[in-house]
Amino acid sequence: MQPIRTPYLLLGALSLTALTSCSLHRYQGPDDQLYIGVKSIDVVGKAQGGYLGDALAEAEAKLSYAPNGAILGSNSLRFPFPLVSPYLYMSLSSHPTWLTKGLRRLTSRPVWMRDVSPTLRAKVAQQALRDRGYLAAQVRASIHPLPSDSLQAKVSYQIDPGALYLLDSVSYFPPVPIRKDRFFRHERLSYLHRGGPFSMQALQADRDIATAFLREHGYYYLKSDYITYEADTLQKAGHVALRTRLAPETPPEALRQWRVGDIQLRLLPDDNERLGSLATDSVGLGPGLKLYYTDKTLVRPRMLASRIRMTPQAIYKSSEEASTLAALNNLGAFSSVEFYFSKREGTQGNVSADSTASDSLRRSFPSVMDSIGDLDLMVLLRPSRPWSAYIGAAMMKKSNNYMGPGVSLSLDRNNLFGGGERLSANLYGSYEWQTGRSPSDGSSVSINSYQLGGDLSLVFPTILFPSMLDSYYKYPTSTSFKLGAQAINHARYYTLRSLSLSMEYSFQPSERWSHRLVPLSLSYTQLAHTTARFDKLLEENPALGLSLRNQFIPKLAYYFTYTHQPEQSPHFLQLFGEVSEAGNVVNALESLSGRPYGETKKLFGVPFAEFVKAALDMRYSWRIDRNQTIATRLATGAIYAYGNATTAPYIEQFYVGGANSIRAFTVRSIGPGRFRTEDENAYSFMDRVGEFKFEANLEYRGRLFGDCHAAVFLDAGNVWLLRPDASRPGAALSEAGSLPRLLDQIAVGTGAGLRYDLSFLVVRFDVGIGLHLPYATERRGWYNIPRFKDAIGYHLAIGYPF
């Protein structure tokens, strides 16, 4: 190794000295100060309460501003040598060459105090608190120059929220007629009630719900801006008397109901030079519904008619307008869909005396049913491009601890048959590796594999067989058919090939519920090119060989997702469920043919799997305040194989471990039950799958600074077999013997992590620490980890674990 020469050592020392002495003084104006962060944000009388916490969080967000060199968006913490980048930025500005312009893009401009404007920022935060109902709130800003350098300064803020003003009384709208003998009663739907906080959010929510209800019942021209409020704070200290009024500029047409008149759909030419030309052809789609086009309709008229959820001569409903817009957009045949409503001439009608009073301040809705106007609708449809292509490449670490490069190619043909169908061809490939250590003996684990595959899918934007059930759904529905092929090669062990065919229904009847129904899923798996090393593993574990054998999997499945989060509630609940079975239909056909039940049944000369499976994943989180959340997950599932085999297919079985599971252990490094292989090697994980799963996770999440958050977690779980296996003793549920011994077979891990939350992307780094292994080790007691360093898992992932 060559020794470092003295001149180079001296040059390095001089460079480091130059970096540490970077000064921006020569670039500062006479009134400039360099902003170097927030010194403190102090709250006077820190009262407890979720509502105040949310208000303070909003105010503090207005005050936060990152200085140069900020760590993960922090307003106070900075990296070492934070002024190097702005110094280079200013230095390069005096040399305007193409090279210096390119280098400046890698630096950052200095953040001056005038950019931050602390006084103005304090006023904005103060207004945010007053909008929340803290009408006496005060926010003050102070600038603190550094004692060693007065040209650099920090900012401190003091927040005094004061008392929260409450509603003492509320005067609502009188009943508004929506149809014969039915009225909109404001007080029943209003968010404003005596004793509640007086805030701009509550007022806006009240305006929105009143406007939405009335627009749903024909009041098309009503806008939330037309609803105003008069507040009196003098009657009672700390309280507000509120009156609901219509704005003076409210037009008469906003105070009456409207019905849908004629509906015209106009298909615009795909050539921009022909946009001004008139359509030459037309076709009727139903009473009051007509399509105008040139040359061709692009989409079948019957399909277009089914997407129009508004009925001519029926009272206008905002939900039907939204449903029509979504249905047309979901066809995938149009690049844009635009609605234009217009009042039909000669149908202005008479406006009630109440709504035409000379005193505009007394303008109000009519007290009785008024005449109903007609709205004609024109829909402009712009065709989308028939072909689209996509190519993507990525380098990532996946939730199963595999990492490596991947590439994908796709080609789409939109509106294939004139009904919004989409034909997609996809090719993908990846090379992955996983590294880790066995938690029991510390042996190294290294696995390499590559994957190649492709699929061809055809998606219909509707429910087929029976057709058009989606006309009752506001949200997108689809029927898809997919044919796919895939090959996975695990270096030095085996190649697994698969061919699949599936049909799937997807529909969402409401915001909370979404469903997937798979009435047909047929896949064929083939184990090929096994090595002697892997063949030996199969000899030692016959059940593993049975789960990986060549076989068909004829599967029917149902999946659902349920999400519940009440508005402005700190509680969030989400459920994922699966119920599936394989082989029942084929088995019934075999039985009708007279074949004995005990025989191995085959499909196209190959045995097929027979099993039933159910799984449930429940997630609940509680937001304590603006900076703290507790998140939990409980996941369980079971699969029972019968008939042709007593072991379910390997790809259908359960496993635990990894970045989104028990983070102290790598994927498939523990289980099933208390089973422990005698010879730990790279493919010991092949044995670590089971037919019953239980997993529980608890995580505390708290904000550190800026966009950086921290978490402390506790994970527990394992998998078990439903039948004893001689090659895996202690792996079955029935072998536990008692509840205490079963609980002792649950692996437990803890740990901590960091999350960098960019709103649209969360980068997560977790460190898991093992506490308990489900099998006996050389260490006695509940904490039975032989070596602390071997039970530590590092996980870099995208998104939250649950």
Side-chain angles (χ1 to χ4, degrees):
M1 181 177 178
Q2 294 289 339
I4 300 176
R5 296 181 180 180
T6 303
Y8 293 105
L9 184 62
L10 180 60
L11 180 62
L14 290 175
S15 300
L16 181 61
T17 303
L19 289 176
T20 57
S21 61
C22 290
S23 173
L24 295 171
H25 292 174
R26 57 199 262 187
Y27 301 110
Q28 290 181 252
D31 299 324
D32 279 341
Q33 276 185 306
L34 186 68
Y35 170 73
I36 57 175
V38 174
K39 181 179 181 180
S40 63
I41 300 178
D42 300 318
V43 179
V44 176
K46 295 182 179 179
Q48 301 296 320
Y51 185 83
L52 175 58
D54 291 340
L56 290 174
E58 186 175 343
E60 291 177 5
K62 309 294 184 184
L63 303 175
S64 182
Y65 198 95
N68 289 116
I71 298 177
L72 301 178
S74 172
N75 59 21
S76 57
L77 300 179
R78 301 193 294 169
F79 288 107
F81 315 120
L83 301 185
V84 172
S85 180
Y87 177 80
L88 293 175
Y89 180 93
M90 299 301 294
S91 300
L92 294 172
S93 63
S94 58
H95 305 283
T97 66
W98 66 270
L99 179 60
T100 57
K101 290 180 180 179
L103 291 175
R104 283 184 70 188
R105 295 180 180 273
L106 304 177
T107 61
S108 60
R109 61 182 297 273
V111 180
W112 306 114
M113 194 63 72
R114 64 175 182 267
D115 300 322
V116 181
S117 187
T119 302
L120 177 59
R121 198 168 290 276
K123 290 181 179 179
V124 173
Q126 178 176 285
Q127 187 59 46
L129 286 170
R130 293 184 176 183
D131 288 345
R132 285 277 190 165
Y134 296 91
L135 302 185
Q138 296 288 332
V139 181
R140 302 175 182 86
S142 301
I143 298 177
H144 305 273
L146 287 183
S148 59
D149 186 356
S150 62
L151 296 182
Q152 300 185 49
K154 291 187 174 183
V155 181
S156 66
Y157 298 96
Q158 184 185 65
I159 301 176
D160 184 0
L164 174 63
Y165 276 64
L166 304 177
L167 293 173
D168 182 57
S169 63
V170 181
S171 175
Y172 303 98
F173 281 126
V176 180
I178 54 178
R179 64 172 182 254
K180 186 177 180 181
D181 298 329
R182 187 178 176 188
F183 297 86
F184 163 62
R185 301 190 183 277
H186 185 197
E187 65 276 10
R188 295 182 180 178
L189 297 178
S190 178
Y191 279 96
L192 305 173
H193 300 284
R194 183 178 181 181
F198 171 74
S199 68
M200 293 300 104
Q201 288 80 0
L203 297 182
Q204 187 59 50
D206 182 71
R207 298 168 81 184
D208 290 343
I209 196 170
T211 304
F213 186 91
L214 290 172
R215 278 177 53 83
E216 180 66 11
H217 291 85
Y219 290 84
Y220 169 77
Y221 286 102
L222 183 65
K223 299 179 181 179
S224 61
D225 292 342
Y226 297 155
I227 300 176
T228 62
Y229 303 90
E230 297 176 355
D232 186 348
T233 60
L234 301 178
Q235 296 185 14
K236 186 177 180 181
H239 289 74
V240 176
L242 194 68
R243 291 179 291 274
T244 310
R245 293 286 186 265
L246 284 170
E249 63 271 15
T250 305
E253 55 265 27
L255 306 178
R256 63 182 300 190
Q257 289 180 296
W258 297 84
R259 59 173 167 252
V260 179
D262 294 334
I263 301 176
Q264 296 181 9
L265 285 77
R266 291 190 174 271
L267 181 62
L268 300 179
D270 52 6
D271 186 354
N272 290 333
E273 296 181 358
R274 301 168 56 198
L275 283 179
S277 60
L278 297 176
T280 57
D281 302 291
S282 64
V283 59
L285 304 180
L289 181 61
K290 205 167 190 178
L291 169 67
Y292 293 86
Y293 64 97
T294 300
D295 299 333
K296 58 181 180 180
T297 61
L298 186 66
V299 176
R300 296 191 303 272
R302 182 179 176 184
M303 176 61 71
L304 270 180
S306 69
R307 298 281 151 166
I308 306 301
R309 309 293 167 80
M310 292 182 287
T311 305
Q313 302 307 308
I315 291 294
Y316 166 84
K317 292 185 177 182
S318 58
S319 62
E320 291 180 349
E321 178 188 354
S323 181
T324 301
L325 180 62
L328 290 173
N329 279 317
N330 292 332
L331 278 174
F334 309 113
S335 61
S336 69
V337 180
E338 300 173 14
F339 283 20
Y340 294 95
F341 286 94
S342 60
K343 293 178 287 188
R344 182 180 297 178
E345 295 183 5
T347 62
Q348 299 299 322
N350 298 319
V351 182
S352 69
D354 289 342
S355 61
T356 57
S358 58
D359 184 1
S360 61
L361 292 177
R362 297 180 59 83
R363 188 181 298 278
S364 64
F365 290 99
S367 58
V368 296
M369 290 290 293
D370 201 353
S371 60
I372 299 176
D374 292 313
L375 286 174
D376 291 329
L377 170 62
M378 179 180 292
V379 182
L380 298 184
L381 306 171
R382 302 178 187 273
S384 64
R385 296 182 180 274
W387 291 95
S388 59
Y390 170 82
I391 180 171
M395 172 71 180
M396 65 183 67
K397 186 168 184 179
K398 300 183 179 179
S399 61
N400 61 359
N401 271 23
Y402 278 74
M403 62 181 300
V407 63
S408 61
L409 304 169
S410 67
L411 181 65
D412 296 342
R413 175 60 167 89
N414 300 313
N415 196 34
L416 181 63
F417 303 125
E421 303 84 1
R422 185 179 71 254
L423 179 66
S424 300
N426 301 283
L427 294 175
Y428 54 87
S430 64
Y431 179 78
E432 304 170 332
W433 64 88
Q434 177 182 241
T435 59
R437 305 188 70 84
S438 167
S440 58
D441 62 6
S443 59
S444 177
V445 176
S446 179
I447 306 169
N448 298 275
S449 70
Y450 67 81
Q451 175 180 322
L452 296 173
D455 59 68
L456 186 68
S457 63
L458 178 61
V459 180
F460 295 82
T462 184
I463 296 294
L464 303 177
F465 320 125
S467 62
M468 307 319 298
L469 284 181
D470 59 316
S471 61
Y472 299 101
Y473 297 135
K474 176 182 177 181
Y475 301 93
T477 61
S478 65
T479 303
S480 60
F481 300 87
K482 180 181 288 188
L483 177 64
Q486 180 178 267
I488 301 176
N489 178 270
H490 288 280
R492 298 177 295 145
Y493 287 94
Y494 69 86
T495 298
L496 185 66
R497 301 168 181 163
S498 65
L499 184 67
S500 62
L501 172 67
S502 66
M503 173 186 177
E504 178 181 307
Y505 294 122
S506 177
F507 53 98
Q508 184 179 349
S510 68
E511 289 185 357
R512 296 183 181 180
W513 288 95
S514 63
H515 307 271
R516 289 172 50 219
L517 181 63
V518 185
L520 172 63
S521 174
L522 181 62
S523 60
Y524 171 69
T525 59
Q526 182 186 50
L527 186 64
H529 305 300
T530 60
T531 64
R533 185 177 184 179
F534 189 67
D535 290 337
K536 181 180 178 182
L537 179 64
L538 295 183
E539 291 178 4
E540 297 172 353
N541 190 344
L544 178 61
L546 194 60
S547 67
L548 283 168
R549 68 176 179 174
N550 299 345
Q551 60 184 319
F552 276 104
I553 306 177
K555 185 176 176 181
L556 281 75
Y558 164 69
Y559 307 88
F560 73 86
T561 301
Y562 172 78
T563 303
H564 181 55
Q565 184 174 24
E567 189 171 354
Q568 300 180 350
S569 171
H571 305 285
F572 173 78
L573 175 66
Q574 192 169 46
L575 300 176
F576 301 92
E578 172 191 355
V579 178
S580 60
E581 67 84 25
N584 277 335
V585 175
V586 180
N587 188 30
L589 296 176
E590 293 280 355
S591 300
L592 292 176
S593 66
R595 179 163 301 188
Y597 182 82
E599 288 186 7
T600 298
K601 295 171 283 295
K602 297 182 178 181
L603 182 64
F604 306 120
V606 178
F608 59 83
E610 295 178 89
F611 64 80
V612 291
K613 181 179 182 180
L616 181 66
D617 186 315
M618 180 175 67
R619 305 178 183 188
Y620 167 76
S621 63
W622 172 40
R623 181 171 56 86
I624 302 174
D625 57 30
R626 65 188 189 277
N627 292 323
Q628 302 179 90
T629 301
I630 292 179
T632 63
R633 175 175 63 179
L634 179 64
T636 186
I639 182 169
Y640 181 78
Y642 59 92
N644 274 351
T646 57
T647 302
Y650 187 82
I651 60 175
E652 295 286 345
Q653 295 188 50
F654 301 101
Y655 61 89
V656 293
N660 295 330
S661 182
I662 307 176
R663 284 159 280 186
F665 309 106
T666 57
V667 175
R668 296 188 181 94
S669 62
I670 52 177
R674 57 182 172 84
F675 169 70
R676 175 185 178 184
T677 182
E678 296 180 358
D679 181 22
E680 293 282 352
N681 56 64
Y683 265 76
S684 298
F685 83 98
M686 295 291 295
D687 292 336
R688 307 297 174 83
V689 293
E691 297 161 333
F692 179 80
K693 172 184 176 180
F694 174 81
E695 181 181 343
N697 309 87
L698 174 65
E699 182 170 287
Y700 168 81
R701 300 168 182 169
R703 180 181 178 184
L704 292 178
F705 53 83
D707 298 321
C708 187
H709 301 253
V712 179
F713 53 83
L714 181 67
D715 304 323
N718 203 347
V719 293
W720 291 265
L721 302 180
L722 295 181
R723 296 185 180 93
D725 182 358
S727 63
R728 288 183 286 179
L733 273 174
S734 58
E735 293 178 280
S738 63
L739 181 59
R741 294 181 61 184
L742 180 64
L743 295 177
D744 195 52
Q745 293 180 16
I746 295 179
V748 181
T750 187
L754 294 175
R755 290 96 166 87
Y756 186 41
D757 192 343
L758 298 175
S759 297
F760 64 92
L761 180 69
V762 176
V763 180
R764 172 168 57 95
F765 177 70
D766 287 335
V767 179
I769 303 172
L771 297 178
H772 178 72
L773 288 166
Y775 46 79
T777 68
E778 59 195 55
R779 187 186 187 103
R780 294 181 178 273
W782 185 82
Y783 179 78
N784 59 353
I785 306 296
R787 283 166 293 278
F788 177 81
K789 66 177 183 178
D790 296 332
I792 299 179
Y794 302 95
H795 305 282
L796 179 64
I798 302 297
Y800 288 101
F802 51 87

